[in-house]
């Protein structure tokens, strides 16, 4: 009897503890595994107009680390284990805020309101024309001159199921970058117990408006700045793609990848067919139609680096994925540790709706209506090919 009372009492303590942890969204969770899961934050400088920027560090129970800053809700570092148990930072970026402020090709960024291209920087919605910045002349790219990647977001640290997380919020005012409607955005990064960097998106609007958010990390599974990614093996769960014109805007067709250099339905080194894909500069920069399109969280891609054994799995609820091999990287960006980023030094896998959907009635709509919720989840999971 006494035993039972003791057990009940300790259960109560645990329940109270958990309630406290959950209710207060404490920064520290109960120790679970080798490391104590935690979220910390530190000042990371300020923007040109004097806004303070904070850098959040998430560490999960396995010791994996992600760093995300309030400028652009942008992932600056992601430390994952290789097959020998060595941690390495697998995303391109800079050591300080300065590098990001000077301009860069969307390293680690949350891009939107509409990721990718909107042809000729304009669209019609309910009989009205909206003109946008032609920042990828003549097209609009990744939300315009000052998209979501260049805004300072509000951040709140939290724990989700024993995993460290940070929730970013930003309200994009009506008319910002030419888009209609006040858009309330929430982007939550969680470093899960399964070593996944999970990104949950939520948006609501007060006027009909296009929304297509994505994440723009450049991965190099051998470590940022360690050379090119052409030896990485990629598999895409996509047997179709949206062919594009020479300015990378989809033609509106949906075509099978079979028999083309775009076919990654079986694992293949990224560099194998790269020289024959064409493009100027040469390389992959196109949208794939994911096989799974029912809105459930499904595997979209797997990438393995044979050298280090690191494996990246991408899961998403979205219907398309842009695969980009860093073709425009040209050595103008000196990144972390003074490493210069050259062409093909990173690859992006950006889950999203198809580019230019707002001007392509055949493609699934990206218009968010008042009263609706834009919701999506993407997980970048880092494991290794080590035999356990
Ligand atoms: C995207 C585009 C690329 C390029 C990069 C940024 O992934 O598809 O063409 O513009 O962003 O440099």
């Amino acid at each position: 009897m006494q035993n039972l009372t003791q057990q009940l009492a300790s259960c109560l303590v645990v329940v109270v503890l958990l309630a406290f942890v959950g209710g207060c969204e404490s920064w520290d969770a109960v120790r679970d595994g080798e490391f104590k899961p935690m979220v910390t934050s530190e000042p990371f400088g300020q923007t040109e107009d004097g806004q303070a920027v904070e850098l959040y560090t998430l560490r999960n129970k396995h010791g994996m680390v992600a760093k995300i800053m309030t400028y652009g809700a942008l992932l600056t570092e992601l430390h994952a284990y290789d097959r020998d148990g060595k941690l390495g930072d697998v995303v391109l970026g800079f050591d300080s805020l300065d590098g990001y402020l000077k301009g860069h090709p969307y390293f680690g960024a949350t891009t939107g309101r509409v990721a990718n291209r909107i042809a000729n920087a304009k669209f019609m919605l309910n009989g009205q024309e909206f003109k946008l910045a032609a920042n990828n002349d003549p097209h609009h790219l990744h939300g315009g001159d000052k998209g979501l990647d260049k805004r300072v977001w509000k951040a709140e640290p939290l724990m989700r199921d024993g995993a460290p997380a940070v929730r970013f919020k930003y309200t994009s005012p009506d008319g910002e970058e030419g888009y209609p409607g006040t858009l309330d955005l929430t982007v939550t990064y969680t470093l899960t117990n399964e070593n996944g960097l999970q990104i949950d998106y939520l948006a609501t609007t007060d006027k009909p408006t296009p929304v297509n958010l994505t994440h723009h990390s450049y991965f190099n599974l051998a470590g940022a700045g360690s050379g090119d990614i052409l030896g990485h093996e990629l598999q895409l769960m996509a047997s179709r793609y949206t062919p594009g014109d020479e300015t990378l805007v989809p033609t509106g067709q949906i075509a099978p990848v079979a028999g083309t250099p775009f076919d990654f339905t079986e694992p293949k080194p990224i560099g194998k067919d790269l020289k024959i894909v064409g493009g100027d500069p040469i390389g992959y920069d196109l949208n794939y139609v994911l096989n799974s399109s029912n809105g459930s969280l499904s595997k979209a891609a797997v990438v393995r680096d044979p050298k280090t054994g690191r494996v990246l799995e991408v899961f998403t609820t979205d219907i398309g994925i842009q695969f980009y091999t860093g073709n425009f990287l040209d050595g103008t960006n000196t990144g972390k540790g003074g490493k210069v980023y050259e062409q093909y030094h990173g690859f992006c896998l950006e889950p999203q709706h198809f580019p230019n959907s707002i001007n392509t009635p055949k493609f699934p709509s990206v218009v968010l209506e008042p009263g609706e919720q834009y919701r999506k989840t993407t997980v970048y999971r880092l494991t290794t090919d080590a035999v356990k």
Side-chain angles (χ1 to χ4, degrees):
M1 186 64 199
Q2 207 201 347
N3 254 344
L4 187 66
T5 321
Q6 272 171 359
Q7 272 175 19
L8 279 175
S10 52
C11 276
L12 197 66
V13 170
V14 171
V15 168
V16 168
L17 255 179
L18 288 178
F20 178 78
V21 166
C24 302
E25 296 187 331
S26 158
W27 287 34
D28 286 0
V30 186
R31 182 181 276 268
D32 182 14
E34 217 178 320
F35 292 87
K36 187 177 179 185
M38 60 182 217
V39 186
T40 54
S41 71
E42 63 198 280
F44 200 53
Q46 50 174 262
T47 59
E48 277 125 14
D49 58 358
Q51 294 181 74
V53 174
E54 296 286 313
L55 180 68
Y56 283 78
T57 300
L58 315 183
R59 189 181 69 186
N60 75 1
K61 67 177 186 180
H62 306 294
M64 195 179 158
V65 170
K67 297 191 182 189
I68 311 127
M69 65 168 160
T70 53
Y71 181 70
L74 186 154
L75 179 72
T76 62
E77 294 178 34
L78 185 62
H79 298 262
Y81 291 104
D82 68 8
R83 70 162 80 85
D84 299 322
K86 217 174 106 222
L87 278 176
D89 185 1
V90 295
V91 292
L92 273 53
F94 303 99
D95 288 321
S96 69
L97 180 63
D98 254 18
Y100 295 96
L101 296 179
K102 278 188 203 137
H104 65 105
Y106 304 93
F107 292 145
T110 299
T111 46
R113 295 184 184 193
V114 175
N116 218 310
R117 291 168 181 79
I118 293 182
N120 301 310
K122 60 182 182 193
F123 64 89
M124 294 287 293
L125 187 58
N126 300 330
Q128 201 184 331
E129 186 179 70
F130 293 91
K131 287 203 162 69
L132 308 168
N135 58 323
N136 189 233
D137 199 21
H139 308 308
H140 176 81
L141 179 70
H142 293 328
D145 289 331
K146 196 169 176 189
L148 301 177
D149 61 296
K150 296 179 189 71
R151 304 286 170 182
V152 178
W153 297 56
K154 286 202 162 52
E156 179 196 359
L158 51 142
M159 295 298 302
R160 294 174 78 194
D161 297 328
V166 56
R167 181 181 292 151
F168 294 98
K169 281 183 186 288
Y170 176 68
T171 299
S172 175
D174 189 5
E176 186 171 82
E177 285 296 320
Y179 290 99
T182 307
L183 193 68
D184 278 314
L185 295 144
T186 305
V187 176
T188 307
Y189 286 82
T190 308
L191 201 51
T192 71
N193 292 329
E194 293 74 41
N195 284 344
L197 181 69
Q198 176 169 333
I199 313 174
D200 294 295
Y201 301 84
L202 170 64
T204 55
T205 183
D206 61 1
K207 285 184 193 164
T209 194
V211 181
N212 190 12
L213 308 175
T214 194
H215 178 74
H216 208 295
S217 273
Y218 290 66
F219 292 92
N220 185 326
L221 300 184
S226 67
D228 71 56
I229 46 76
L230 301 180
H232 288 33
E233 293 161 3
L234 166 69
Q235 183 178 20
L236 285 171
M237 284 54 190
S239 46
R240 295 175 302 157
Y241 72 114
T242 56
D245 65 16
E246 65 285 357
T247 66
L248 301 170
V249 170
T251 59
Q253 254 87 35
I254 290 184
V257 293
T260 77
F262 307 118
D263 190 349
F264 283 96
T265 50
E266 297 295 327
K268 176 173 87 176
I270 291 176
K272 181 161 181 287
D273 295 330
L274 183 120
K275 292 293 170 206
I276 56 169
V277 296
D280 180 20
I282 289 173
Y284 292 94
D285 194 355
L286 76 159
N287 171 70
Y288 286 80
V289 178
L290 291 170
N291 294 339
S292 167
S293 58
N294 61 6
S296 63
L297 189 65
S298 309
K299 194 183 276 190
V302 185
V303 190
R304 188 177 79 90
D305 171 35
K307 266 193 299 190
T308 61
R310 286 198 185 93
V311 175
L312 168 71
E313 293 167 291
V314 184
F315 301 83
T316 187
T317 56
D318 217 327
I319 60 169
I321 196 162
Q322 182 85 4
F323 171 49
Y324 171 57
T325 41
N327 318 334
F328 291 107
L329 297 177
D330 59 3
T332 51
N333 292 116
T334 300
K336 298 172 208 174
K339 301 267 175 64
V340 176
Y341 298 140
E342 306 283 356
Q343 195 176 37
Y344 314 133
H345 276 200
F347 66 89
C348 303
L349 285 165
E350 314 159 37
Q352 56 191 258
H353 268 46
F354 310 158
N356 198 33
S357 290
I358 190 68
N359 291 313
T360 316
K362 274 192 276 182
F363 289 169
S365 171
V366 292
V367 176
L368 180 69
E369 302 284 343
E372 288 179 350
Q373 285 190 335
Y374 170 95
R375 274 186 182 276
K376 107 171 201 182
T377 297
T378 292
V379 180
Y380 295 95
R381 180 167 183 245
L382 272 308
T383 60
T384 77
D385 62 4
V387 185
K388 297 260 156 60

